[in-house]
Amino acid sequence: MRPSRPVYIIGGTHTPYLGKYHPDFIWKGHPEFSKRKNPTLEEHLRRAALGALADAGVSPERIERGFVGNFAGECFGKQAHLGAVLAGAHPGLRQKPYLRTEGACASGGLAVTAGLDAIGAGSELVLVTGVEVQNTCDAREGADYLARAAAYSRQRPIDPFTFPCLFARRARAYRETYRVGPEEIAAAVVKAHHNAAKNPHAQLHAVGASMTLDRASRPSEKNPLFLENLEYRDFLTVADCSLVTDGASALVLCSERALRELGRKPEETVEIIGVGVAADALEASAEPNFDLLHLSTTQAAAARAYQGARARPEEMQVVEVHDCFSIAEVLMMEALGFAAPGEGARLIASGATRIGGPIPVNTGGGLMGFGHPVGATGVKHALEIYRQMLGRAGDYQVRPAPRLGISANMGGDDRTAVVMVYRRP
């Protein structure tokens, strides 16, 4: 679909994406351990919201509606009711309508589409945020929280790390069906880490440049196999996984009328010109005949977004995809129409998706390098496209600045998908 009224992104910001390997992340080996704590969910949300408003040049009082993408705040941070948390970020935001959107890892994308709907319904300025704090518990407990994005009663027993195992299942099917080697899929990992090394907001900014194809494609002490399920264990290593991350992203959407009132020119913005949202039955992913070789829900959402934008895959000049695991990026490239079935891994391995290639993908590091604070990811996607199109991506800038781009945000095992097409006027 196409937004019923023109909608523009006019500013936004990320907090630092914090977690293991980030020098500011406080853990037991950090020199400031016991002296200070990592930011809370509330602190990340407030910082992102106010930063986005400042970047957009919009006072809090002018915001008419707001949305918070978040998946599991009540689990990781013992805090739900996040619309009211956003209202507390500044006195000028109080007594206005805010709400939380939830769609597993697509929660942030749904927050952006809720903002589009709000402007279509008559709002002029909308604040969209996404936040997650996940480093409040150990890895196994966190995996249990995240497994609630699956068909929990049927899929939780597959492995203590449910989602890595579900995507190892896809990786096995893909490799065996298309005779693809681990090196070809691992090319996505190397690209993600190296791009993150150029991105000061990224969780792996300090260490990403050290990743090699040999290390990413082979199990080792530094890149271990960790699944207990012996059927799928050999098809996913730690490097194939997105990161456990604390962070928030936020952006400001505005109507054409608000753009004029703010004295902003369209060419100083990025317009969202196509959007597709799709969800499929949660229980279907637990059935024996579930299609492991295609992201059919993402493909359906992409078809709607392309149709609304009146655009084609070959016109896209910058791409953000949901690389929760390396195999997910491979399948995303096929679902979005950039590669035929079975060719996504080879496309990435060819170098075509690197910065400087014909179709740059996840230029800031993606979920595997930038980080994956679950509820923030879809907002981060949109903001990264905005930054690229306006030439604001610094060391990882695509040149010349792209004019058309696409993002795909996926919840669960392709159960919810949000795809958006963007244009620099």
Side-chain angles (χ1 to χ4, degrees), residues 14-20 22 105 132 134-135 192-193 195-197 199 201-205 241-249 320-325 362 364-381 384 409:
H14 309 295
T15 69
Y17 276 26
L18 299 178
K20 189 176 181 181
H22 193 291
C105 301
E132 207 81 55
Q134 297 173 252
N135 285 287
H193 284 235
N195 288 354
N199 176 5
H201 289 102
Q203 184 171 332
L204 297 188
H205 175 63
C241 302
S242 56
L243 302 168
V244 178
T245 311
D246 301 346
S249 296
E320 285 284 322
V321 301
H322 198 92
D323 59 325
C324 48
F325 302 94
N362 292 355
L367 284 64
M368 293 186 289
F370 197 149
H372 185 26
V374 172
T377 295
V379 182
K380 183 259 281 184
H381 282 164
E384 284 297 284
N409 184 205

Side-chain angles (χ1 to χ4, degrees), residues 321-332:
V321 301
H322 198 92
D323 59 325
C324 48
F325 302 94
S326 55
I327 186 62
E329 179 167 339
V330 170
L331 293 171
M332 279 273 170

